[in-house]
């Protein structure tokens, strides 16, 4: 494997890890506040459809992005209403959102575009184009550093840079601000936060809203940057992989970045190498394609360390009178 191939694989890793990272950070905010959300998949899916549909109809990728965020926020609000206000089972609410998004995207896609649940292909201003960073062309001939900057760091869409920038921003927000302290406290001991005069319901709704926005960004990236339109079930389990990455990362932003890059690397390798010859054995393409999902099962089964979720996670808060 030469250096150019390594750069290409790492470049694919960054692109494929971006929706996972956005969804993982989305789950981080929600679960840190004590609201478990397995509906990340559904919110990403509805956002991908809304973004592609709006971009195809208006020719503007920015209007598509806003439509995706709005659609995701609607489902996030529905989840908040069911699990926070009505104190319903958070897991069942998440499953319902996944089913709702799966059916709704196909139904509306067929009704509006008649393409079997797909949207028309996006082009021009209806897609996020790669951004060439300053001096990428002039630095490219420089050995080692040139390809790293011009091919690996430069040449991504704006949502890739936004996703990476959100990691330190989330770490600062969660561990260096009053809001972050309250959000983490609500996930650990909501009664103590309530006693201090802080609205537990308000903090949890704020966290669920942030989750909706980030899932909207993830879905929009899938259909308007990584691909050129929406396809049926195009999230392909990425919401669940993001949840596994979140558990693997122990609900911490920087660890989430590393976990998502690991999943992105596995997917990039499975795409790059349809089969791997180790000399004494040939690894089939089916195994390489299943690697991200195998790792997901391994993590969720608890084989890689013990992850302790927020203590009040999954439990509706009932205010004492």
């Amino acid at each position: 494997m030469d250096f150019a191939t390594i750069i290409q694989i790492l470049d694919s890793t960054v692109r494929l890890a971006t929706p996972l990272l956005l969804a993982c950070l989305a789950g981080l905010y929600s679960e840190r506040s004590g609201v478990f959300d397995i509906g990340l998949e559904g919110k990403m899916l509805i956002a991908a459809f809304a973004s592609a549909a709006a971009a195809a109809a208006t020719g503007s990728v920015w209007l598509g992005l806003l439509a995706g965020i709005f659609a995701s926020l609607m489902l996030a609000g529905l989840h908040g209403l069911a699990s926070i206000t009505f104190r319903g089972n958070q897991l069942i609410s998440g499953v319902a959102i996944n089913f709702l998004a799966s059916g709704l995207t196909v139904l509306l896609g067929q009704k509006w575009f008649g393409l079997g649940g797909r949207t028309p292909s996006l082009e021009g201003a209806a897609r996020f184009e790669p951004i060439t960073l300053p001096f990428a062309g002039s630095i490219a001939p420089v050995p080692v550093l040139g390809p790293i900057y011009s091919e690996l760091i430069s040449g991504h869409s704006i949502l890739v840079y936004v996703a990476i920038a959100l990691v330190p921003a989330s770490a600062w927000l969660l561990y260096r601000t009053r809001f972050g302290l309250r959000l983490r406290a609500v996930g650990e001991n909501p009664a103590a936060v309530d006693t201090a005069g802080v609205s537990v319901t308000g903090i949890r709704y704020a966290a669920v809203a942030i989750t909706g926005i980030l899932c909207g960004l993830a879905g929009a990236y899938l259909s308007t940057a990584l691909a050129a339109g929406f396809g049926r079930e195009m999230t392909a389990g990425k919401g669940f992989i993001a949840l596994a990455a979140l558990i693997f990362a122990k609900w911490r932003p920087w660890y989430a970045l590393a976990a998502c890059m690991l999943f992105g690397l596995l997917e990039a390798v499975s795409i790059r190498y349809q089969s791997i010859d180790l000399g004494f054995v040939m690894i089939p393409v089916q195994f390489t394609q299943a690697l991200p999902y195998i790792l997901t099962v391994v993590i969720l089964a608890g084989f890689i360390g013990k992850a302790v979720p927020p203590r009040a996670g999954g439990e509706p808060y009932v205010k004492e009178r």
Side-chain angles (χ1 to χ4, degrees):
M1 184 184 298
D2 58 5
F3 183 69
T5 302
I6 294 175
I7 291 294
Q8 291 172 0
I9 292 175
L10 292 179
D11 179 68
S12 297
T13 297
V14 173
R15 298 176 192 272
L16 295 169
T18 296
L20 298 178
L21 178 58
L22 288 167
C24 188
L25 292 176
L28 173 66
Y29 282 98
S30 181
E31 298 200 3
R32 275 288 192 174
S33 73
V35 180
F36 285 168
D37 191 354
I38 63 172
L40 300 177
E41 177 88 0
K43 286 191 280 290
M44 289 173 64
L45 189 63
I46 198 72
F49 173 77
S51 295
T58 64
S60 171
V61 69
W62 294 105
L63 291 177
L65 177 62
L66 290 176
I69 292 175
F70 177 77
S72 179
L73 275 172
M74 291 299 99
L75 290 189
L78 186 63
H79 180 59
L81 189 66
S83 58
I84 300 174
T85 301
F86 295 118
R87 306 189 187 104
N89 188 294
Q90 297 173 7
L91 298 181
I92 293 176
S93 174
V95 171
I97 285 175
N98 290 335
F99 282 126
L100 176 63
S102 179
L104 198 59
T105 52
V106 175
L107 178 65
L108 293 179
Q110 179 62 28
K111 180 69 174 179
W112 292 349
F113 304 107
L115 297 174
R118 295 181 293 108
T119 62
S121 296
L122 304 177
E123 56 185 20
R127 285 195 69 198
F128 283 108
E129 299 293 339
I131 297 175
T132 302
L133 297 180
F135 311 112
S138 58
I139 297 178
V142 177
V144 183
L145 293 179
I148 290 176
Y149 181 76
S150 62
E151 298 179 27
L152 179 57
I153 298 177
S154 178
H156 298 288
S157 70
I158 189 172
L159 291 183
V160 173
Y161 301 111
V162 168
I164 294 175
L166 282 172
V167 175
S170 296
W172 174 80
L173 182 63
L174 286 171
Y175 297 105
R176 294 290 186 269
T177 67
R178 181 179 297 177
F179 172 77
L181 174 62
R182 290 175 173 176
L183 186 143
R184 288 183 290 119
V186 164
E188 296 293 338
N189 192 342
V193 176
D194 191 20
T195 302
V198 178
S199 172
V200 173
T201 300
I203 294 292
R204 286 188 169 179
Y205 264 112
V208 168
I210 295 173
T211 299
I213 293 172
L214 294 179
C215 283
L217 292 175
Y221 175 81
L222 283 174
S223 61
T224 60
L226 190 61
F230 176 81
R232 296 181 62 171
E233 305 294 342
M234 73 178 305
T235 48
K238 287 182 172 58
F240 299 109
I241 293 177
L243 279 176
L246 179 61
I247 296 171
F248 190 26
K250 295 179 171 60
W251 293 270
R252 297 184 179 182
W254 287 107
Y255 291 177
L257 174 62
C260 291
M261 287 299 172
L262 173 60
F263 279 105
L265 177 62
L266 291 176
E267 189 173 355
V269 169
S270 70
I271 294 173
R272 177 80 181 184
Y273 298 102
Q274 294 300 298
S275 58
I276 301 176
D277 187 2
L278 298 180
F280 58 91
V281 64
M282 177 71 75
I283 299 178
V285 60
Q286 291 82 2
F287 181 80
T288 58
Q289 291 175 343
L291 276 177
Y293 305 98
I294 293 173
L295 183 58
T296 300
V297 173
V298 169
I299 291 172
L300 293 179
F303 292 118
I304 303 180
K306 183 179 180 181
V308 181
R311 284 185 296 176
E315 299 177 3
Y317 177 66
V318 181
K319 185 179 180 68
E320 294 183 2
R321 300 196 181 274

